[in-house]
Amino acid sequence: MGLRLPILLLLLCCVSGLPFYNGFYYSNRPNGRNLGNGYSEGIFNGVKLVVETPEETLFSHRGANVTLPCRYHYEPALASPRPVRIKWWKLSENGVPEQDVLVAIGLRQRTFGDYRGRVHLRQDRAREVSLEIRDLRLEDYGRYRCEVIDGLEDESGLVELELRGVVFPYQHPQGRYKFNFHEAQQACEEQDAVVASFEQLFRAWEEGLDWCNAGWLQDASVQYPITQARHPCGGPGLAPGVRSYGQRHHRLHRYDVFCFAVALRGQVYYLEHPEKLTLTEAREACREDGAQIAKVGQLFAAWKFRGLDRCDAGWLADGSARYPVAHPRSNCGTLEPGVRSFGFPDPHSRKYGVYCYRLR
């Protein structure tokens, strides 16, 4: 008898028409349906299993704790509880593979990968199976699926998590169109950011981002946002929008990149110093002040979310010189809010101050 059960299970999984067996049975749900509005239901033995998740996108920020809501119930209601298996995973997106997050059976929970030690199942109320993620990271945004498995039946709901952030264009120190896709990814990471997704770029365009240089996006497409049609940017005859060059070769093609930086946990500030500094002196001055020289993504996030406003150009970690203007005025460049850039000056030049970043 000891050998019969494993052999029988092995044979069952190979029989056409039977569901795949991995310790739990899954069905095709021919009677199930998606109700929209965050509801999904399946029918078995005259009882409907319904999973509820929010339809709207959840927004949070790096370092925060967030709960992805998920509940389930039966219609009609059952008199006694039934054992279920809960699975949370992050969906594949922009070439990033699907990631298991958590599996739970009763009081037993198992977490996976980078989520270990940061996630747990919240079961404060009956049939609540919400996922709490602690200390949110830049790469945590995306779409998560909550699956409830009851015997032969399983139903699931989708939760979308977005981090509050800002999209900014980034060029190589040597000029326009110097990054292949892999170099673009590294460049954004070095500026405390990630390569932006199309959705993030589109939202930035809706908020007024206008940039005539094409840049890589997370799905390896190359695009650029135009709010005012003009000759160098596709011509005045085209309507405003996000222009696309489509997918490009990861290694052979070279462009700029659009990066995405999220709200800060620390503080960016202009260091008051009696003299202008070289780049090396700027780094040392921040260290002496108990901080480090700020990165481009940090400066953009401080401008976007903290309203950082300073008319003094300062060195940043990548060797560029920039300054943030939240309240445009005549002596601070154009009459549009934004982060102004002086490019990548001679690192030995003493024309600039420095922006520092200190963790709180």
Side-chain angles (χ1 to χ4, degrees):
M1 181 63 184
L3 292 175
R4 289 180 184 174
L5 181 59
I7 293 172
L8 177 60
L9 294 177
L10 181 61
L11 291 173
L12 284 173
C13 73
C14 301
V15 176
S16 175
L18 288 181
F20 170 71
Y21 180 81
N22 65 347
F24 290 86
Y25 277 110
Y26 297 79
S27 76
N28 306 0
R29 299 190 308 281
N31 298 320
R33 59 196 178 109
N34 191 319
L35 304 179
N37 299 319
Y39 284 69
S40 181
E41 70 171 30
I43 303 173
F44 60 105
N45 297 328
V47 177
K48 291 190 295 185
L49 170 61
V50 181
V51 175
E52 307 170 46
T53 51
E55 188 175 13
E56 65 277 3
T57 300
L58 302 181
F59 285 88
S60 190
H61 58 87
R62 182 167 55 182
N65 299 337
V66 66
T67 298
L68 309 187
C70 183
R71 297 190 68 197
Y72 70 97
H73 67 271
Y74 298 93
E75 297 177 0
L78 300 180
S80 58
R82 293 172 57 89
V84 296
R85 177 181 187 252
I86 308 300
K87 179 179 178 181
W88 278 93
W89 73 93
K90 187 181 180 189
L91 273 60
S92 172
E93 201 163 19
N94 295 322
V96 178
E98 187 176 278
Q99 296 174 266
D100 287 337
V101 177
L102 177 146
V103 172
I105 304 175
L107 298 177
R108 292 179 297 161
Q109 299 184 20
R110 181 183 177 188
T111 57
F112 300 89
D114 292 338
Y115 293 97
R116 286 196 182 100
R118 296 196 300 127
V119 299
H120 75 275
L121 207 61
R122 294 195 59 168
Q123 297 174 295
D124 300 339
R125 296 177 294 171
R127 299 194 173 101
E128 179 183 9
V129 288
S130 301
L131 181 73
E132 182 176 21
I133 307 177
R134 296 185 293 272
D135 189 23
L136 276 177
R137 299 176 181 175
L138 193 55
E139 60 272 18
D140 286 341
Y141 77 87
R143 296 180 299 155
Y144 292 79
R145 188 167 290 281
C146 168
E147 182 179 41
V148 180
I149 305 165
D150 182 340
L152 294 177
E153 187 58 41
D154 67 284
E155 280 301 327
S156 64
L158 195 65
V159 183
E160 186 165 0
L161 174 65
E162 186 67 81
L163 300 187
R164 298 191 184 279
V166 56
V167 173
F168 62 94
Y170 191 75
Q171 279 190 353
H172 193 280
Q174 296 178 2
R176 184 172 179 258
Y177 295 175
K178 299 292 184 181
F179 294 124
N180 66 28
F181 180 67
H182 303 294
E183 292 165 347
Q185 289 177 309
Q186 182 179 350
C188 288
E189 289 172 7
E190 289 173 352
Q191 301 314 312
D192 199 23
V194 293
V195 179
S197 68
F198 171 77
E199 292 78 12
Q200 290 162 347
L201 181 65
F202 187 82
R203 191 177 299 120
W205 169 76
E206 290 181 315
E207 295 174 356
L209 181 61
D210 183 279
W211 195 255
C212 204
N213 291 340
W216 291 104
L217 293 180
Q218 193 179 81
D219 61 356
S221 67
V222 173
Q223 312 198 33
Y224 62 101
I226 297 298
T227 59
Q228 297 180 357
R230 52 199 185 274
H231 278 293
C233 306
L238 290 177
V242 177
R243 314 269 195 259
S244 176
Y245 288 1
Q247 301 284 324
R248 287 293 185 260
H249 195 283
H250 286 203
R251 289 184 296 102
L252 299 181
H253 293 137
R254 294 183 176 272
Y255 296 93
D256 294 342
V257 62
F258 289 98
C259 301
F260 177 78
V262 298
L264 295 171
R265 300 174 65 180
Q267 176 191 14
V268 174
Y269 61 97
Y270 183 83
L271 181 65
E272 300 294 345
H273 196 275
E275 299 175 341
K276 300 298 184 183
L277 306 163
T278 66
L279 178 58
T280 300
E281 292 167 344
R283 295 183 193 278
E284 183 59 31
C286 287
R287 279 195 293 268
E288 291 175 355
D289 201 49
Q292 60 188 22
I293 190 168
K295 299 178 180 180
V296 177
Q298 294 166 345
L299 185 67
F300 268 93
W303 162 75
K304 176 75 172 181
F305 298 106
R306 303 280 174 80
L308 185 61
D309 184 273
R310 185 84 190 205
C311 211
D312 299 288
W315 290 107
L316 295 177
D318 66 339
S320 64
R322 307 173 193 246
Y323 65 99
V325 177
H327 306 289
R329 45 208 183 271
S330 58
N331 60 336
C332 286
T334 63
L335 295 180
E336 294 288 337
V339 174
R340 319 278 192 247
S341 176
F342 283 85
F344 294 85
D346 180 351
H348 302 291
S349 169
R350 279 197 174 89
K351 295 182 180 178
Y352 309 102
V354 63
Y355 287 93
C356 304
Y357 174 71
R358 181 188 291 127
L359 276 173
R360 289 182 173 175

